[in-house]
């Protein structure tokens, strides 16, 4: 059988699959930092080569306004992509850019010198440690290796399934050029039937999952300006506003005593959790107390919006977070000063059907209504993305279910995630396209943190699941 041959190829060539993954992980494709611009492109070129080796027509396409100012997007298609008689047309999406590595001193080995570490008893399994190992190069590689397996063991690229592949180079910096790119090149995507993404997690080791919703994001930066020069806090303290003090006073009003966000209208568009969902999520047996323990917190740290469980809060409720605050003297020792300004990076995680633009406007208006006497605001928009809740009733989701079941031996759970993947909402809004999130990360993979890792068992399960998914799609 064709699938058996592809699966055998994956087992026999695993060493090479991992070596290729490591080669890609060596390229420091940090999209947010201009110093790495050429490395980001290099990582895109590398993936283009991999797709070509699996028989796809692949190119690196420019983004940005003017074109070429953004990071490039890898676009590839199987030779039969335009042949509507050849079955479903699948859009595979992934991203090849990664988060910055700081704080570097906390890495056990350099972020871009991948190492394979042995399993730890009662700890993580054998794993690749490097920035991007899980998010998202390692997960994209599972799909690329499945493509390779089908190419090597059959006579058609991707086993004859019609694929368009899109690998973004700036997902980690807000996908700022993706919307315009999708508009400009809509003809390449509008014929797709479904989007497939491997950039999410599982419920736990040996507990594969399909994610049917991700939250949206609205990311802002707000600066409160006061005096036009730093001041001696003895001579001026008590005589004029201190931007640090005034900023935290205003921001502390963002939540009420039930930890609900106080910005007017914030919850207006929130889709309520369906009773069936509530029950289904309870049955998943997610252990919040154990999860807290793993990050060094006691049970009483299980806090959040009143009236919802931790799973409900992560998957289906919006939040507001202060990601960073700077202002005044932050060096060693003491310096008595009233600073000219203070800045906070404030973001909102959003759920269906909240609109990031509307939330940003009402947040800025809320701040405007609370401008501290004698001060002035400066607002910056850092983008984000719309939330995406996707249909759980589609033949493609059933196909993904069967594929994972055949690879893992157990039925995947249906879960949601609190993270954000901007492309999914864009595809749904612009092209009416649904997404299947078939991801293989673990909660302790340390994505975005030092010592990011991807366990080889997850990598194996992912490559097999993708190979089996290709087989399922061939039959549709
Ligand atoms: N892959 C993650 C999102 C994710 C992680 C979803 C785990 C589900 C489970 C993605 O790369 C990411 O980090 N997204 C950013 C979005 C952003 C920078 C616009 C996020 O969620 O903060
Ligand atoms: Mn990701
Ligand atoms: Mn990420």
């Amino acid at each position: 059988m064709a699938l058996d041959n592809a699966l055998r190829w994956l087992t026999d060539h695993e060493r090479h699959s991992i070596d290729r993954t490591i080669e890609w992980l060596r390229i420091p494709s940090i999209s947010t930092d201009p110093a790495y611009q050429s490395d980001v492109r290099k990582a895109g070129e590398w993936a283009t080569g991999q797709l070509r080796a699996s028989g796809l027509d692949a190119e690196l396409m420019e983004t940005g306004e003017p074109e070429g100012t953004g990071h490039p997007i890898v676009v590839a298609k199987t030779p039969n992509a335009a042949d509507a008689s050849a079955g479903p047309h699948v859009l595979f999406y992934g991203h090849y850019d990664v988060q910055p590595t700081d704080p570097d001193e906390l890495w056990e080995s350099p972020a871009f010198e991948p190492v394979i570490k042995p399993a730890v008893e009662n700890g993580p399994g054998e794993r690749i440690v490097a920035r991007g190992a899980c998010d998202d190069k390692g997960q994209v590689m599972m799909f690329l290796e499945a493509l390779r397996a089908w190419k090597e063991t059959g006579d058609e690229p991707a086993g004859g399934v019609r694929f368009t592949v899109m690998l973004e180079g700036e997902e980690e910096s807000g996908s700022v050029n993706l919307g315009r790119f999708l508009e400009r090149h809509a003809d390449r995507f509008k014929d797709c039937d479904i989007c497939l993404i491997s950039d999410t997690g599982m419920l736990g080791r040996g507990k594969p999952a399909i994610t049917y919703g991700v939250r949206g994001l609205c990311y802002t930066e707000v600066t409160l300006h006061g005096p036009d020069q730093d001041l001696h806090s003895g001579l001026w303290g008590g005589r004029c506003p201190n931007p640090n003090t005034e900023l935290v006073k205003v921001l502390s009003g963002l939540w009420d005593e039930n930890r609900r966000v106080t910005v007017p209208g914030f919850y207006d568009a929130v889709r309520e959790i369906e009773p069936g969902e509530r029950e289904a999520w309870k049955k998943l047996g997610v252990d919040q107390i154990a999860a807290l323990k793993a990050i060094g917190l006691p049970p009483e740290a299980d806090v959040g919006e009143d009236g919802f469980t931790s799973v409900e809060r992560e998957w289906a409720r919006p939040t507001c977070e202060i990601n960073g605050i700077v202002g005044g003297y932050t060096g060693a020792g003491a310096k008595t000063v009233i600073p000219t300004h203070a800045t906070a990076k404030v973001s909102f995680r959003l759920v269906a059907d909240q609109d990031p633009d509307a939330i940003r406007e009402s947040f800025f208006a809320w701040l405007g209504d609370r401008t501290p006497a004698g001060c002035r605001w400066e607002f910056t928009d850092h983008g984000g993305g719309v939330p995406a809740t996707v249909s759980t009733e589609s033949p493609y989701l059933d196909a993904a279910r069967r594929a994972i079941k055949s690879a893992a031996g157990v039925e995947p759970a249906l879960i949601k995630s609190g993270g954000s993947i901007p492309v999914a909402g864009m595809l749904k809004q612009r092209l009416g396209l649904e997404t299947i999130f078939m991801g293989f990360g673990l909660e302790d993979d340390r994505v975005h943190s030092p010592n990011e890792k991807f366990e080889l068992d997850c990598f194996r399960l992912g490559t097999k699941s993708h190979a089996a998914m290709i087989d399922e799609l061939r039959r549709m």
Side-chain angles (χ1 to χ4, degrees):
M1 245 181 58
L3 174 59
D4 291 335
N5 293 338
L7 291 174
R8 190 164 331 106
W9 187 93
L10 285 170
T11 305
D12 292 346
H13 296 79
E14 185 179 282
R15 189 60 245 174
H16 296 117
S17 299
I18 291 167
D19 284 347
R20 280 188 283 268
T21 306
I22 286 176
E23 205 179 301
W24 202 16
L25 289 168
R26 282 185 193 285
I27 309 173
S29 48
I30 303 172
S31 60
T32 200
D33 186 343
Y36 294 88
Q37 196 186 341
S38 66
D39 292 301
V40 175
R41 182 170 293 267
K42 224 189 269 169
E45 279 163 359
W46 188 92
T48 308
Q50 297 297 304
L51 287 156
R52 285 186 187 141
S54 291
L56 280 75
D57 305 318
E59 56 183 311
L60 209 52
M61 296 182 68
E62 299 303 329
T63 70
E65 191 62 56
E67 233 175 58
T69 51
H71 294 297
I73 293 181
V74 180
V75 180
K77 57 180 172 37
T78 51
N80 64 352
D83 177 7
S85 69
H89 185 177
V90 180
L91 173 62
F92 180 88
Y93 165 91
H95 64 91
Y96 66 86
D97 65 320
V98 299
Q99 286 276 329
T101 58
D102 65 291
D104 285 309
E105 64 278 12
L106 295 184
W107 285 80
E108 287 164 17
S109 50
F112 296 113
E113 292 173 27
V115 288
I116 295 183
K117 295 206 157 184
V120 178
E121 220 182 292
N122 297 319
E126 196 182 9
R127 62 209 181 276
I128 307 178
V129 177
R131 169 59 81 235
C134 171
D135 185 11
D136 180 28
K137 285 172 177 164
Q139 297 215 49
V140 170
M141 271 317 272
M142 305 178 309
F143 171 72
L144 296 183
E145 291 300 315
L147 280 184
R148 198 181 276 265
W150 274 97
K151 167 72 166 55
E152 294 295 324
T153 58
D155 26 52
E156 271 182 300
V161 176
R162 300 161 68 207
F163 270 106
T164 292
V165 178
M166 167 168 57
L167 304 181
E168 194 190 356
E170 49 194 27
E171 194 270 352
E172 298 291 13
S173 46
S175 295
V176 283
N177 295 299
L178 188 59
R180 200 182 300 115
F181 181 87
L182 289 174
E183 226 146 70
R184 195 177 282 164
H185 302 288
D187 51 312
R188 289 177 177 255
F189 307 105
K190 65 174 194 295
D191 164 60
C192 293
D193 298 300
I194 189 77
C195 175
L196 179 62
I197 300 182
S198 268
D199 193 22
T200 50
M202 304 193 282
L203 252 192
R205 288 184 179 77
K207 293 183 185 168
I210 294 173
T211 298
Y212 69 98
V214 290
R215 285 197 287 188
L217 182 70
C218 164
Y219 201 112
T220 73
E221 181 168 332
V222 303
T223 296
L224 186 66
H225 292 277
D228 68 1
Q229 51 204 275
D230 275 13
L231 303 169
H232 189 297
S233 69
L235 303 182
W236 283 96
R239 279 174 71 194
C240 74
N242 176 334
N244 275 345
T245 314
E246 300 299 329
L247 178 69
V248 297
K249 273 164 61 188
V250 173
L251 293 182
S252 71
L254 271 171
W255 302 268
D256 68 14
E257 65 282 5
N258 299 317
R259 295 179 188 267
R260 280 173 66 89
V261 177
T262 55
V263 175
F266 185 73
Y267 293 94
D268 286 359
V270 170
R271 211 187 283 176
E272 293 304 325
I273 305 169
E274 286 169 26
E277 273 185 315
R278 266 216 157 107
E279 290 317 304
W281 295 351
K282 286 215 174 80
K283 288 196 193 117
L284 293 174
V286 174
D287 188 345
Q288 160 78 346
I289 303 308
L292 287 171
K293 191 167 179 216
I295 56 165
L297 288 174
E300 57 269 31
D302 184 18
V303 296
E305 186 187 355
D306 262 14
F308 297 92
T309 67
S310 60
V311 164
E312 290 164 357
R313 298 191 313 258
E314 185 203 332
W315 295 356
R317 299 299 298 173
T319 62
C320 169
E321 319 287 340
I322 301 175
N323 300 266
I325 307 189
V326 256
Y329 184 66
T330 57
K335 178 192 180 196
T336 49
V337 65
I338 290 173
T340 57
H341 64 281
T343 298
K345 295 184 189 278
V346 181
S347 71
F348 300 86
R349 288 287 167 173
L350 309 176
V351 301
D353 297 299
Q354 287 175 298
D355 170 21
D357 295 330
I359 297 293
R360 188 180 51 250
E361 289 322 307
S362 32
F363 173 49
F364 288 169
W366 182 88
L367 289 174
D369 289 344
R370 286 159 183 75
T371 309
C375 296
R376 135 185 99 78
W377 291 109
E378 182 188 345
F379 299 141
T380 310
D381 169 22
H382 285 301
V386 289
T389 293
V390 297
S391 166
T392 50
E393 267 148 49
S394 99
Y396 302 105
L397 191 113
D398 291 337
R401 252 194 198 141
R402 291 192 299 270
I404 294 174
K405 168 103 197 268
S406 85
V410 294
E411 193 73 45
L414 270 185
I415 64 171
K416 288 183 134 193
S417 172
S420 304
I421 302 179
V423 72
M426 286 185 204
L427 290 172
K428 189 153 179 176
Q429 269 190 342
R430 282 159 209 262
L431 303 169
L433 207 58
E434 296 282 346
T435 293
I436 289 165
F437 301 96
M438 186 167 117
F440 297 89
L442 293 171
E443 193 164 54
D444 63 0
D445 278 340
R446 298 173 186 260
V447 292
H448 296 201
S449 296
N451 305 310
E452 178 177 349
K453 56 115 172 132
F454 195 40
E455 301 198 2
L456 297 189
D457 277 345
C458 298
F459 183 82
R460 279 178 202 120
L461 178 59
T463 50
K464 282 186 199 154
S465 299
H466 277 293
M469 182 66 176
I470 289 174
D471 195 44
E472 291 290 341
L473 292 163
R474 293 173 86 209
R475 300 155 188 265
M476 288 177 80

